[in-house]
Amino acid sequence: MSYQVPGFIAFTIAIVVYFVGAGLNSLVPPLRRWNIPEAVTGGLLAALGTLVAHNGFGLAISFDIAARDLLLLYFFTGIGLNARLADLGAGGRPLIILLILTVVYLGLQNAVALGAAAALKLPEGMAPLLGSVSLVGGHGTTIAWAPLISQRFGLTNALEVGIASATLGLVLASLLGGPIAGLLISRFRLRGGAAEAPMVGLPEEAGQPEGGEVGYRNILSTLLVLNVVILVAYSLEGIVEKTGIKLPLFVVCLLVAIVVTNILPLVLPRLPWPARTQALALISDLSLKIFLAMSLMSMQLWTLGGLGPALALVLGLQSLVAVLYILFVVFPAMGRTYQAAVLAAGFTGISLGATPTAIANMTAVTRTHGPAPLAFIILPLVSAFFIDIINAIAIGFMVR
C-alpha cells in the first residue's frame, strides 16, 4: 500500500523535521561538534521512520515536494545577489583551482567506479551509475541518463541503481562534510572573520535573537527583489535553451542575480538593495534548511536494500577516496586557510551529494566558526555550472 503526503502537509512536516533535528543536535553534543546540519539530523530520522512504516507495516510513504523547487530558487538567487565583482575578481584564481580539482576528482571517481565494477564482476553499464552519474551528478543527472544507460547496456534496473547510489551518496555527504571541516579547523587552528556581512545563515550568539535586526519591511522588500530576479530568470531560461546550452533553472537564477546585483545598485544608487543584509541571509538560510529537510525526509531508504552489499562496498570505497582527496589534495591546494576548510566541507557535497548539500555543509560550519563569503561564491559556480557540462562529456564517453 502506498500513500503520498500532499504538498502543504509535506511542507509543514519539513518544518517539524527541522525542529526535531535542532532539538537532537542540542541534546547530542557530538552532532554540534561535527557540524551536522539540523535538517540532516531531522531528515534522516524522518526517512528512517518511513523505512519502518514500509518494512513493518507495508506502507510506502512518499511526499509531494514541489515546494522544494521554489526554495532552491530562492536560495541560489540569494547567493547570486550577494556576489560582488570584487569578490569574483578575488575568486578568479581560487575558482580556477577548485574547478581543476573537481575535474580531476571527477575522472578519479569514474576510475574507481570502473575498477570496482570490474573487480566485483558487476553487469556492464553499472560503472557510470556508481560514479559521476549519481555522485557528482546527483538525482537529476541520474534520472536524465538512466534511460540511455538502460538502453545502451540492457540494464533494466539502471534507474533504481542510480537513484540508490545518489541517495546513499547524499546521506554520506551530509554526514561527512562537517566533521572533515571541523577536523581541519581544529588541526590547523583556523578561524573565520567576525566582521563579514552575512552571506547565508546568521550566528546564534548568546543574548541575540536568531535572525538579528530584521523587520517586515526589509523582509518583504527582499522577497520582492528575489521574486523579480527569479521571474527574469524564468523568462531567460527558454532563450538559454535555444542556444543549445541546458542549464538548471537555479543556475540561471544564480547568474541573473550576479549580473543584476552588480549593475542595478550603480544605476539606481538610492534603491534599497538586500545584498549582504540580515534579511537576505535569513531568507536564504530558511530556504536551504527546509529544502534539505524535504530532500532527506523524502528518501525511500527501502529501495537500497535489494541491491546487495556491492552497492555499499563501492560507495564505501568512493567515500574513502573522497575523504583522502579532500584532506590531502583539496585543502592544501586551496591554501590551508579557513576558507579552504569551509570549501573542504562543500567539496564533500560536490563529490558525494549535490550542490545544496555542499552549501548546507558550509553553512553549518560558518554558523559555528565564522563567515567565509568567497566559498559561497566560487563553489556554486563550479558545482552548479561548469562541472555539469564537464560531467556530461565524461558520462557520454563512458556510455559509448
PDB file of all heavy atoms in Angstrom, residues 298-316:
ATOM      1  N   SER A 298      12.204  12.734   2.307  1.00  0.00           N
ATOM      2  CA  SER A 298      11.503  12.070   1.205  1.00  0.00           C
ATOM      3  C   SER A 298      12.281  10.894   0.627  1.00  0.00           C
ATOM      4  O   SER A 298      11.811  10.243  -0.305  1.00  0.00           O
ATOM      5  CB  SER A 298      11.186  13.083   0.094  1.00  0.00           C
ATOM      6  OG  SER A 298      12.386  13.621  -0.445  1.00  0.00           O
ATOM      7  N   MET A 299      13.486  10.631   1.161  1.00  0.00           N
ATOM      8  CA  MET A 299      14.259   9.495   0.661  1.00  0.00           C
ATOM      9  C   MET A 299      13.541   8.187   0.996  1.00  0.00           C
ATOM     10  O   MET A 299      13.086   7.992   2.119  1.00  0.00           O
ATOM     11  CB  MET A 299      15.662   9.475   1.277  1.00  0.00           C
ATOM     12  CG  MET A 299      16.540  10.606   0.851  1.00  0.00           C
ATOM     13  SD  MET A 299      18.251  10.388   1.390  1.00  0.00           S
ATOM     14  CE  MET A 299      18.044  10.190   3.148  1.00  0.00           C
ATOM     15  N   GLN A 300      13.456   7.308   0.038  1.00  0.00           N
ATOM     16  CA  GLN A 300      12.835   5.996   0.243  1.00  0.00           C
ATOM     17  C   GLN A 300      13.954   4.974   0.451  1.00  0.00           C
ATOM     18  O   GLN A 300      14.420   4.315  -0.484  1.00  0.00           O
ATOM     19  CB  GLN A 300      11.941   5.646  -0.957  1.00  0.00           C
ATOM     20  CG  GLN A 300      10.778   6.611  -1.118  1.00  0.00           C
ATOM     21  CD  GLN A 300       9.887   6.288  -2.297  1.00  0.00           C
ATOM     22  OE1 GLN A 300      10.351   5.808  -3.336  1.00  0.00           O
ATOM     23  NE2 GLN A 300       8.592   6.553  -2.158  1.00  0.00           N
ATOM     24  N   LEU A 301      14.367   4.858   1.694  1.00  0.00           N
ATOM     25  CA  LEU A 301      15.550   4.068   2.017  1.00  0.00           C
ATOM     26  C   LEU A 301      15.364   2.586   1.715  1.00  0.00           C
ATOM     27  O   LEU A 301      16.351   1.863   1.552  1.00  0.00           O
ATOM     28  CB  LEU A 301      15.908   4.255   3.500  1.00  0.00           C
ATOM     29  CG  LEU A 301      16.345   5.672   3.904  1.00  0.00           C
ATOM     30  CD1 LEU A 301      16.618   5.733   5.404  1.00  0.00           C
ATOM     31  CD2 LEU A 301      17.579   6.101   3.128  1.00  0.00           C
ATOM     32  N   TRP A 302      14.114   2.127   1.636  1.00  0.00           N
ATOM     33  CA  TRP A 302      13.904   0.698   1.365  1.00  0.00           C
ATOM     34  C   TRP A 302      14.354   0.319  -0.052  1.00  0.00           C
ATOM     35  O   TRP A 302      14.550  -0.849  -0.340  1.00  0.00           O
ATOM     36  CB  TRP A 302      12.440   0.313   1.588  1.00  0.00           C
ATOM     37  CG  TRP A 302      11.448   1.082   0.766  1.00  0.00           C
ATOM     38  CD1 TRP A 302      11.003   0.796  -0.491  1.00  0.00           C
ATOM     39  CD2 TRP A 302      10.763   2.285   1.154  1.00  0.00           C
ATOM     40  NE1 TRP A 302      10.102   1.725  -0.911  1.00  0.00           N
ATOM     41  CE2 TRP A 302       9.925   2.658   0.086  1.00  0.00           C
ATOM     42  CE3 TRP A 302      10.776   3.062   2.309  1.00  0.00           C
ATOM     43  CZ2 TRP A 302       9.118   3.786   0.133  1.00  0.00           C
ATOM     44  CZ3 TRP A 302       9.966   4.190   2.359  1.00  0.00           C
ATOM     45  CH2 TRP A 302       9.147   4.541   1.284  1.00  0.00           C
ATOM     46  N   THR A 303      14.510   1.306  -0.937  1.00  0.00           N
ATOM     47  CA  THR A 303      14.989   0.995  -2.285  1.00  0.00           C
ATOM     48  C   THR A 303      16.462   0.592  -2.284  1.00  0.00           C
ATOM     49  O   THR A 303      16.956   0.060  -3.275  1.00  0.00           O
ATOM     50  CB  THR A 303      14.804   2.198  -3.216  1.00  0.00           C
ATOM     51  OG1 THR A 303      15.580   3.304  -2.733  1.00  0.00           O
ATOM     52  CG2 THR A 303      13.342   2.611  -3.292  1.00  0.00           C
ATOM     53  N   LEU A 304      17.181   0.865  -1.174  1.00  0.00           N
ATOM     54  CA  LEU A 304      18.596   0.495  -1.108  1.00  0.00           C
ATOM     55  C   LEU A 304      18.796  -0.980  -0.784  1.00  0.00           C
ATOM     56  O   LEU A 304      19.823  -1.557  -1.103  1.00  0.00           O
ATOM     57  CB  LEU A 304      19.298   1.337  -0.030  1.00  0.00           C
ATOM     58  CG  LEU A 304      19.280   2.853  -0.189  1.00  0.00           C
ATOM     59  CD1 LEU A 304      19.965   3.510   1.000  1.00  0.00           C
ATOM     60  CD2 LEU A 304      19.956   3.266  -1.485  1.00  0.00           C
ATOM     61  N   GLY A 305      17.803  -1.578  -0.118  1.00  0.00           N
ATOM     62  CA  GLY A 305      18.006  -2.906   0.445  1.00  0.00           C
ATOM     63  C   GLY A 305      18.176  -4.006  -0.573  1.00  0.00           C
ATOM     64  O   GLY A 305      18.923  -4.960  -0.344  1.00  0.00           O
ATOM     65  N   GLY A 306      17.523  -3.931  -1.715  1.00  0.00           N
ATOM     66  CA  GLY A 306      17.545  -5.025  -2.663  1.00  0.00           C
ATOM     67  C   GLY A 306      18.756  -5.055  -3.563  1.00  0.00           C
ATOM     68  O   GLY A 306      18.863  -5.926  -4.420  1.00  0.00           O
ATOM     69  N   LEU A 307      19.669  -4.132  -3.396  1.00  0.00           N
ATOM     70  CA  LEU A 307      20.804  -4.055  -4.306  1.00  0.00           C
ATOM     71  C   LEU A 307      22.047  -4.764  -3.782  1.00  0.00           C
ATOM     72  O   LEU A 307      23.081  -4.761  -4.434  1.00  0.00           O
ATOM     73  CB  LEU A 307      21.122  -2.579  -4.590  1.00  0.00           C
ATOM     74  CG  LEU A 307      19.996  -1.831  -5.307  1.00  0.00           C
ATOM     75  CD1 LEU A 307      20.302  -0.351  -5.371  1.00  0.00           C
ATOM     76  CD2 LEU A 307      19.782  -2.378  -6.707  1.00  0.00           C
ATOM     77  N   GLY A 308      21.943  -5.332  -2.583  1.00  0.00           N
ATOM     78  CA  GLY A 308      23.019  -6.155  -2.084  1.00  0.00           C
ATOM     79  C   GLY A 308      24.205  -5.379  -1.558  1.00  0.00           C
ATOM     80  O   GLY A 308      24.258  -4.157  -1.593  1.00  0.00           O
ATOM     81  N   PRO A 309      25.208  -6.108  -1.065  1.00  0.00           N
ATOM     82  CA  PRO A 309      26.393  -5.480  -0.457  1.00  0.00           C
ATOM     83  C   PRO A 309      27.306  -4.782  -1.462  1.00  0.00           C
ATOM     84  O   PRO A 309      28.148  -3.982  -1.056  1.00  0.00           O
ATOM     85  CB  PRO A 309      27.110  -6.660   0.198  1.00  0.00           C
ATOM     86  CG  PRO A 309      26.678  -7.857  -0.586  1.00  0.00           C
ATOM     87  CD  PRO A 309      25.266  -7.580  -1.018  1.00  0.00           C
ATOM     88  N   ALA A 310      27.162  -5.094  -2.750  1.00  0.00           N
ATOM     89  CA  ALA A 310      28.060  -4.481  -3.736  1.00  0.00           C
ATOM     90  C   ALA A 310      27.939  -2.962  -3.729  1.00  0.00           C
ATOM     91  O   ALA A 310      28.940  -2.236  -3.798  1.00  0.00           O
ATOM     92  CB  ALA A 310      27.755  -5.029  -5.132  1.00  0.00           C
ATOM     93  N   LEU A 311      26.696  -2.452  -3.643  1.00  0.00           N
ATOM     94  CA  LEU A 311      26.491  -1.007  -3.632  1.00  0.00           C
ATOM     95  C   LEU A 311      27.157  -0.380  -2.419  1.00  0.00           C
ATOM     96  O   LEU A 311      27.861   0.635  -2.535  1.00  0.00           O
ATOM     97  CB  LEU A 311      24.997  -0.695  -3.633  1.00  0.00           C
ATOM     98  CG  LEU A 311      24.620   0.795  -3.571  1.00  0.00           C
ATOM     99  CD1 LEU A 311      25.114   1.513  -4.808  1.00  0.00           C
ATOM    100  CD2 LEU A 311      23.123   0.966  -3.424  1.00  0.00           C
ATOM    101  N   ALA A 312      26.970  -0.981  -1.241  1.00  0.00           N
ATOM    102  CA  ALA A 312      27.576  -0.451  -0.026  1.00  0.00           C
ATOM    103  C   ALA A 312      29.095  -0.482  -0.117  1.00  0.00           C
ATOM    104  O   ALA A 312      29.778   0.459   0.325  1.00  0.00           O
ATOM    105  CB  ALA A 312      27.099  -1.245   1.189  1.00  0.00           C
ATOM    106  N   LEU A 313      29.643  -1.538  -0.706  1.00  0.00           N
ATOM    107  CA  LEU A 313      31.096  -1.659  -0.821  1.00  0.00           C
ATOM    108  C   LEU A 313      31.660  -0.578  -1.739  1.00  0.00           C
ATOM    109  O   LEU A 313      32.647   0.097  -1.397  1.00  0.00           O
ATOM    110  CB  LEU A 313      31.452  -3.049  -1.352  1.00  0.00           C
ATOM    111  CG  LEU A 313      32.943  -3.373  -1.463  1.00  0.00           C
ATOM    112  CD1 LEU A 313      33.597  -3.312  -0.091  1.00  0.00           C
ATOM    113  CD2 LEU A 313      33.145  -4.752  -2.088  1.00  0.00           C
ATOM    114  N   VAL A 314      31.039  -0.377  -2.890  1.00  0.00           N
ATOM    115  CA  VAL A 314      31.535   0.618  -3.840  1.00  0.00           C
ATOM    116  C   VAL A 314      31.379   2.022  -3.266  1.00  0.00           C
ATOM    117  O   VAL A 314      32.299   2.855  -3.361  1.00  0.00           O
ATOM    118  CB  VAL A 314      30.797   0.503  -5.188  1.00  0.00           C
ATOM    119  CG1 VAL A 314      31.236   1.619  -6.132  1.00  0.00           C
ATOM    120  CG2 VAL A 314      31.055  -0.853  -5.824  1.00  0.00           C
ATOM    121  N   LEU A 315      30.248   2.314  -2.643  1.00  0.00           N
ATOM    122  CA  LEU A 315      30.040   3.644  -2.071  1.00  0.00           C
ATOM    123  C   LEU A 315      30.972   3.891  -0.896  1.00  0.00           C
ATOM    124  O   LEU A 315      31.427   5.021  -0.684  1.00  0.00           O
ATOM    125  CB  LEU A 315      28.588   3.815  -1.650  1.00  0.00           C
ATOM    126  CG  LEU A 315      27.646   4.451  -2.688  1.00  0.00           C
ATOM    127  CD1 LEU A 315      27.992   5.906  -2.912  1.00  0.00           C
ATOM    128  CD2 LEU A 315      27.659   3.699  -3.994  1.00  0.00           C
ATOM    129  N   GLY A 316      31.280   2.833  -0.126  1.00  0.00           N
ATOM    130  CA  GLY A 316      32.261   2.979   0.947  1.00  0.00           C
ATOM    131  C   GLY A 316      33.632   3.320   0.393  1.00  0.00           C
ATOM    132  O   GLY A 316      34.339   4.186   0.929  1.00  0.00           O
TER     133      GLY A 316
END
